[in-house]
Amino acid sequence: MDKNQIAAQLESIGTLLALKADSNAFEARAYENAARTINSLDGDISQLLKEGKLKGLPGLGSRILQRVTEMIETGSSPYYEELRASTPAVKLDMLRIPGLGPKRINTIYDELHVNSIAELEQACKEDRVAHMAGFGKKTQDKILQGINFLSQHGDRFLYPVAEDEAEPIRAALEKLPEIVRLKVAGSLRRRRETVKDIDMVASVADDAGVEQRRAIMDFFTSQPSVIHITGKGDTKSSVVLRSGIAMDLRVVNDSQFPYTLHHFTGSREHHIALRRRALSMNMTINDYGLFRIKPDGEELIPCQDEPDMYAALGMAYIEPEMREDMGEIEAAASNTLPELVKESDLRGVLHAHSTWSDGQNTIREMVEACIERGYSYLGITDHSKAAAYAGGLKADDLRRQGEEIDKLNEEFAGRIRILKGIECDILRDGALDFEDSVLAELDFVVASIHSNFNLPPQEQTQRMLNAIANPYVDIVGHPTGRILLTREGYSLDMDAVIEAAARHGVCIEINAHPSRLDLDWHLVRKARDKGIKVPVNPDAHIVAGLDDMRYGIGVARKGWLRATDVLNTLETDALLAFFRARRK
Ligand code: DGT
Ligand code: CA
Ligand code: ZN
């Protein structure tokens, strides 16, 4: 187990302890503290253990250290398994309801004796939850909302979870001599922000025998991350991986590969539109091939790869990210598809935190990490004072931070440019958390909502429109506030927000954090069509967070963005000129 897995397991132990009938809050918290310590460690954890450097760290008392040692040495924790086995399944299920924690779960379990989420839903509808001490009508409504959310999103995984599970298996399979071609398909290839299951397609030589396919399937189903084999055959096998995500591997003859890959890449909606076009051209398409319809039957149109298939249909090649039936068929037929932005087009970072607020690295460390990654600028945007929970800066702090940035700019001159920014809170009425005179000292301003998430739609929208009308606001941060698989965004009329941003020349970010990916790609497309510049922002709170940019690029590509649509593809001088021009 690596560092992250151990921290996650410690956290799970803490949660399981809190779920016990005779739960001891102190003990549960001890494991959460230990998880935090492990998370913030630098370097390889098994090395640290060997060197005796884990001993005495905050939260790592002798008992917990013993459990951590066990995880490092054996790759599992019998204590965790035991706790899990002794926890009623319905309690674990309830944990997945957004907004419901161990304390309330225990009360519900003890007082209502529910055995399933369906029973809890029933109890809510019969008003039995509201009547328990410490619950009330509002809490009951929130639980119902949570159950509803779970039924919509509960079986999906964040993109990086799916990718991190798929990639080692892809890399392992790729080395097999039997495999000719191999590709990830499905929603993962299309870079959807959440993924239900992993689809992979492999090919073998057309004259390969069944033993070769079996060798591939044996190898696949015995991968170390496979925890369950759901099905195993010569053409398709299905497994469940450690994270709980399911994965299918299909093996076809190599001449079949493009058609099968195309089919399982999807989306269904893209296929429906494409099939319509094929029929209009007297062709038909399915997972076996692309055929010309003749009076005496169907004739296969030979294709070496996917571009051949689109060419046969009289179209330009459509990148997987765009295969969502968002007008790509028409654009490909008229050869007007955009050339999509790539990660290598990015020139700098425009939303990053430091130890001045809730970041874990100093400005200097963030600067060095940006240089390492080849960026030409770094915009530091710590929180403003209203975000007190995140160590928000007062005007005076901001001035001193500016002095530190001036010094660093002298030191790093010629290598990188550090911009003075802020992630300024948008207050309840839409005013900004700083006066104009303070904002005027900065190179640029990101404005975000971090409070009063539940205002009525009209009020929330007006709040955002007021902020956009502020002449100092350059970029709206994580505009809808959604947390994927956890909470919906604020009630905003996003069409009105996009309209206003376009009118005022304000940018709207794609927050690249994989739990946010906010603006959503459907809306990115709308923003682009209105001429809004969309920066791809990592919102990094730690050096490693800078690497989230690639998830944001996935969303940018799904939103049809070209390099020219993305603000931080500008070179330093052009970017500074852009911000200066806005101030006028
Ligand atoms: P998800 O829900 O994140 O797994 O999304 P996908 O797109 O990966 O969906 P999945 O795994 O059910 O199927 C992968 C692709 O295979 C899908 O995008 C299109 C194709 N496909 C699967 N089943 C059908 C079907 O019944 N009809 C059509 N037209 N295509 C299908
Ligand atoms: Ca899938
Ligand atoms: Zn924020």
Side-chain angles (χ1 to χ4, degrees), residues 92-118:
L92 296 174
D93 287 346
M94 283 195 273
L95 264 185
R96 299 168 59 222
I97 301 174
L100 207 51
K103 222 171 125 188
R104 287 219 160 100
I105 291 175
N106 286 341
T107 310
I108 292 171
Y109 185 79
D110 292 342
E111 296 196 13
L112 298 177
H113 311 289
V114 295
N115 283 310
S116 67
I117 292 195

Side-chain angles (χ1 to χ4, degrees), residues 208-318:
V210 71
E211 326 73 55
Q212 302 199 12
R213 289 159 174 267
R214 274 191 200 146
I216 293 170
M217 293 310 194
D218 285 342
F219 182 78
F220 169 58
T221 52
S222 61
Q223 288 299 295
S225 59
V226 170
I227 57 171
H228 177 72
I229 301 171
T230 324
K232 193 172 164 192
D234 300 335
T235 55
K236 177 186 171 188
S237 293
S238 304
V239 299
V240 178
L241 304 174
R242 216 173 262 147
S243 63
I245 198 169
M247 173 170 176
D248 291 344
L249 174 68
R250 288 184 170 75
V251 179
V252 297
N253 284 345
D254 196 59
S255 58
Q256 188 76 53
F257 184 77
Y259 313 108
T260 307
L261 172 66
H262 183 267
H263 177 79
F264 287 105
T265 296
S267 66
R268 278 184 185 76
E269 292 74 15
H270 177 78
H271 286 334
I272 290 169
L274 198 63
R275 209 164 300 151
R276 207 177 305 126
R277 177 173 172 86
L279 283 176
S280 77
M281 296 172 73
N282 224 17
M283 292 188 251
T284 175
I285 183 170
N286 59 35
D287 54 329
Y288 296 108
L290 176 62
F291 304 90
R292 195 172 313 284
I293 303 171
K294 295 247 167 121
D296 52 345
E298 293 174 351
E299 179 188 281
L300 181 74
I301 301 171
C303 296
Q304 301 300 314
D305 49 26
E306 286 183 328
D308 279 357
M309 294 176 63
Y310 285 103
L313 288 161
M315 302 158 79
Y317 174 67
I318 300 175

Side-chain angles (χ1 to χ4, degrees), residues 443-446 471-476 505-507 579 582-583:
D443 293 315
F444 74 109
V445 173
V446 177
Y472 288 96
V473 170
D474 299 298
I475 299 171
V476 178
V506 168
C507 307
F579 286 138
R582 293 210 65 250
R583 288 294 166 87

Side-chain angles (χ1 to χ4, degrees), residues 250-470:
R250 288 184 170 75
V251 179
V252 297
N253 284 345
D254 196 59
S255 58
Q256 188 76 53
F257 184 77
Y259 313 108
T260 307
L261 172 66
H262 183 267
H263 177 79
F264 287 105
T265 296
S267 66
R268 278 184 185 76
E269 292 74 15
H270 177 78
H271 286 334
I272 290 169
L274 198 63
R275 209 164 300 151
R276 207 177 305 126
R277 177 173 172 86
L279 283 176
S280 77
M281 296 172 73
N282 224 17
M283 292 188 251
T284 175
I285 183 170
N286 59 35
D287 54 329
Y288 296 108
L290 176 62
F291 304 90
R292 195 172 313 284
I293 303 171
K294 295 247 167 121
D296 52 345
E298 293 174 351
E299 179 188 281
L300 181 74
I301 301 171
C303 296
Q304 301 300 314
D305 49 26
E306 286 183 328
D308 279 357
M309 294 176 63
Y310 285 103
L313 288 161
M315 302 158 79
Y317 174 67
I318 300 175
E319 303 271 8
E321 292 92 329
M322 279 190 286
R323 298 183 199 168
E324 301 284 357
D325 192 24
M326 296 277 286
E328 71 276 13
I329 308 267
E330 298 73 12
S334 60
N335 208 14
T336 52
L337 283 171
E339 186 180 333
L340 298 181
V341 62
K342 306 182 294 297
E343 198 183 354
S344 59
D345 294 325
L346 297 176
R347 292 292 172 266
V349 170
L350 286 175
H351 184 168
H353 297 263
S354 74
T355 46
W356 280 84
S357 67
D358 60 348
Q360 294 193 41
N361 289 103
T362 61
I363 299 181
R364 175 186 293 278
E365 287 163 347
M366 296 299 276
V367 165
E368 284 166 350
C370 282
I371 293 175
E372 237 170 72
R373 286 161 178 74
Y375 292 127
S376 313
Y377 46 87
L378 165 63
I380 292 289
T381 54
D382 275 306
H383 288 284
S384 64
K385 58 186 189 295
Y389 63 90
L393 271 57
K394 301 202 175 65
D396 185 49
D397 303 322
L398 197 57
R399 217 165 292 126
R400 285 186 297 117
Q401 184 184 57
E403 286 164 16
E404 179 178 327
I405 291 178
D406 286 338
K407 283 201 199 107
L408 287 168
N409 265 329
E410 269 176 45
E411 181 182 336
F412 287 94
R415 285 190 281 165
I416 193 167
R417 169 72 187 249
I418 310 153
L419 273 59
K420 295 175 197 169
I422 184 87
E423 183 179 8
C424 192
D425 262 46
I426 300 174
L427 305 180
R428 187 188 173 118
D429 61 357
L432 288 205
D433 193 19
F434 279 123
E435 291 160 28
D436 290 359
S437 62
V438 176
L439 299 178
E441 296 296 312
L442 300 169
D443 293 315
F444 74 109
V445 173
V446 177
S448 308
I449 287 178
H450 291 121
S451 60
N452 301 107
F453 293 163
N454 297 319
L455 298 182
Q458 226 178 348
E459 206 178 327
Q460 196 69 283
T461 302
Q462 192 54 50
R463 174 191 192 184
M464 185 62 98
L465 296 186
N466 291 351
I468 286 171
N470 183 312

Side-chain angles (χ1 to χ4, degrees), residues 57-109:
L57 288 178
L60 295 187
S62 63
R63 189 133 61 117
I64 295 186
L65 184 57
Q66 189 200 327
R67 308 229 190 270
V68 170
T69 306
E70 198 167 45
M71 292 176 201
I72 296 173
E73 288 173 351
T74 69
S76 72
S77 166
Y79 183 56
Y80 165 80
E81 303 299 342
E82 183 190 306
L83 276 173
R84 208 184 141 93
S86 64
T87 308
V90 64
K91 284 192 175 184
L92 296 174
D93 287 346
M94 283 195 273
L95 264 185
R96 299 168 59 222
I97 301 174
L100 207 51
K103 222 171 125 188
R104 287 219 160 100
I105 291 175
N106 286 341
T107 310
I108 292 171
Y109 185 79

Side-chain angles (χ1 to χ4, degrees), residues 156 186-187 190 194-197 199 263-268 271 275:
R156 302 190 70 81
S187 50
R190 301 198 315 278
T194 63
V195 170
K196 185 191 79 215
D197 56 16
D199 308 280
H263 177 79
F264 287 105
T265 296
S267 66
R268 278 184 185 76
H271 286 334
R275 209 164 300 151

